């Protein structure tokens, strides 16, 4: 199983020219990468113009088409050769009031269109302080994946307090959460399906801490925000992962 390194560009950069430039630099500097899967997740409008690396979208609607002004459907994304879609990112939960029920509808819509959902889960700072992390993680998985028995899926553990703060999660704690995610998933999916699901980490990943989330915490990859906007930093992260032997999924 290849390790994943996913770039979430969020609402950046502000022009197509800059987007193409960043994409092409990453592509050029990572041309010798063989064992690591690189996925770029730009804003929707740049998707048709970026070629040569796997692409994902940052969100999708739960219907395929119709009178839903402003929405982008999973069918449209599939037709653009998009392979992945982030669903339930904490910024969507926070600023757009997305709850587990909405997220569940979006996951089903993505799967129906053969997109691979990257389901983001994670606790807020106050929930961590109140020792509610396990409860939140279980609820987000059980409700976000409600009535789904079969899925090609990626789960991204992104503690909200770690996103964009420089305050990344301790490797041992991250490993404990990874195991809780795996246990919860094993109650939802059968063994065959479970083996296909990747669990990745996101939250202030940089080129210094990246490989330890694979080596020490045994994640199957990384979701990178801020550091994916600088090609050199992002490629350093990819190269640090490429150096590692793939850790077998347990
Ligand atoms: C993210 O928002 O998905 C993320 C991981 O951001 P950052 O790497 O900037 O913490």
């Amino acid at each position: 199983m290849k390790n994943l390194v996913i770039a979430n560009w969020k609402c950046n950069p502000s022009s197509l020219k800059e987007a193409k430039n960043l994409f092409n630099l990453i592509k050029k500097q990572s041309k010798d990468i063989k064992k690591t899967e690189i996925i770029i997740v730009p804003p929707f409008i740049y998707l048709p113009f970026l070629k040569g690396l796997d692409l994902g979208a940052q969100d999708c609607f739960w219907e395929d088409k119709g009178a839903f002004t402003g929405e982008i459907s999973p069918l449209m994304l599939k037709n653009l050769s998009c392979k992945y879609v982030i669903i339930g990112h904490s910024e969507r939960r926070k600023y757009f009031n997305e709850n587990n029920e909405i997220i569940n509808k979006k996951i089903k819509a993505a799967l129906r269109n053969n997109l691979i959902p990257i389901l983001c889960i994670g606790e807020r700072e106050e929930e961590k302080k109140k020792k509610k992390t396990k409860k939140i993680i279980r609820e987000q998985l059980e409700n976000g994946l409600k009535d789904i028995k079969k899925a090609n899926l990626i789960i991204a553990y992104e503690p909200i307090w770690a996103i964009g703060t420089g305050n990344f999660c301790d490797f041992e704690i991250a490993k404990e959460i990874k195991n809780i995610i795996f246990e919860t998933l094993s109650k939802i999916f059968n063994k065959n399906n479970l083996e296909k699901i990747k669990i990745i980490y996101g939250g202030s990943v940089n080129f210094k801490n990246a490989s330890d989330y694979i080596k020490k915490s045994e994640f199957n990859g990384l979701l990178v925000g801020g550091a994916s906007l600088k090609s050199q930093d992002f490629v350093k992260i990819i190269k640090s992962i490429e150096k590692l032997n793939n850790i077998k999924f347990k």
Side-chain angles (χ1 to χ4, degrees):
M1 190 187 259
K2 278 188 176 182
N3 288 311
L4 305 173
V5 181
I6 307 176
N8 176 14
W9 287 359
K10 310 192 187 199
C11 192
N12 301 292
S14 6
S15 71
L16 176 59
K17 193 174 167 207
E18 288 168 280
K20 279 185 177 171
N21 194 29
L22 176 58
F23 185 87
N24 289 333
L25 282 171
I26 294 170
K27 193 166 78 175
K28 194 169 155 204
Q29 290 163 17
S30 61
K31 65 179 184 330
D32 297 327
I33 300 297
K34 301 271 180 301
K35 292 186 294 178
T36 310
E37 198 172 333
I38 305 163
I39 301 160
I40 308 293
V41 186
F44 291 125
I45 56 163
Y46 303 142
L47 283 167
F49 303 100
L50 308 176
K51 307 274 176 219
L53 292 171
D54 282 343
L55 294 175
Q58 296 177 13
D59 181 34
C60 70
F61 189 50
W62 62 74
E63 295 289 348
D64 291 350
K65 58 182 177 178
F68 305 105
T69 303
E71 290 299 329
I72 302 290
S73 84
L75 178 60
M76 293 171 187
L77 295 172
K78 189 68 195 174
N79 288 336
L80 276 182
S81 305
C82 197
K83 223 169 139 182
Y84 300 88
V85 57
I86 295 178
I87 295 178
H89 190 279
S90 61
E91 287 149 17
R92 299 228 40 105
R93 293 181 193 253
K94 180 175 174 190
Y95 299 115
F96 304 95
N97 296 324
E98 290 196 11
N99 57 25
N100 291 327
E101 200 183 321
I102 292 173
I103 288 161
N104 180 249
K105 288 208 270 185
K106 292 187 171 191
I107 301 252
K108 286 176 180 160
L111 292 171
R112 181 172 74 233
N113 285 285
N114 292 318
L115 291 167
I116 302 175
I118 303 164
L119 169 60
C120 296
I121 57 170
E123 81 284 5
R124 297 199 300 262
E125 174 125 55
E126 59 271 28
E127 291 164 337
K128 178 182 169 235
K129 281 188 186 145
K130 289 184 187 157
K131 303 202 182 316
K132 285 188 172 168
T133 302
K134 289 182 193 169
K135 182 175 173 282
I136 297 291
I137 295 295
R138 288 196 184 112
E139 272 172 15
Q140 288 176 335
L141 285 172
E142 283 160 9
N143 297 327
L145 298 172
K146 195 163 177 244
D147 300 326
I148 298 170
K149 290 277 159 283
K150 229 176 120 195
N152 193 2
L153 190 69
I154 297 164
I155 306 292
Y157 171 55
E158 297 211 299
I160 297 169
W161 47 268
I163 295 181
T165 58
N167 187 14
F168 58 89
C169 187
D170 173 88
F171 305 116
E172 270 308 307
I173 294 172
K175 185 177 176 179
E176 272 175 42
I177 308 294
K178 194 223 148 189
N179 291 337
I180 291 165
I181 294 171
F182 185 78
E183 272 167 35
T184 311
L185 292 175
S186 57
K187 290 183 191 137
I188 302 174
F189 298 103
N190 69 26
K191 195 168 171 285
N192 270 354
N193 199 136
L194 203 55
E195 278 170 6
K196 289 186 207 134
I197 301 177
K198 292 183 178 181
I199 306 173
I200 64 173
Y201 170 82
S204 293
V205 169
N206 57 42
F207 60 80
K208 291 186 188 141
N209 62 23
S211 63
D212 280 338
Y213 284 107
I214 312 296
K215 252 188 329 200
K216 296 184 182 163
S217 318
E218 299 185 1
F219 282 92
N220 311 115
L222 301 161
L223 181 51
V224 186
S228 72
L229 292 169
K230 293 183 208 119
S231 67
Q232 283 189 342
D233 287 4
F234 188 58
V235 172
K236 273 195 205 169
I237 292 174
I238 298 168
K239 290 191 174 163
S240 74
I241 303 305
E242 179 78 355
K243 274 195 212 142
L244 301 171
N245 286 326
N246 290 353
I247 291 171
K248 207 174 167 323
F249 192 67
K250 340 188 271 183

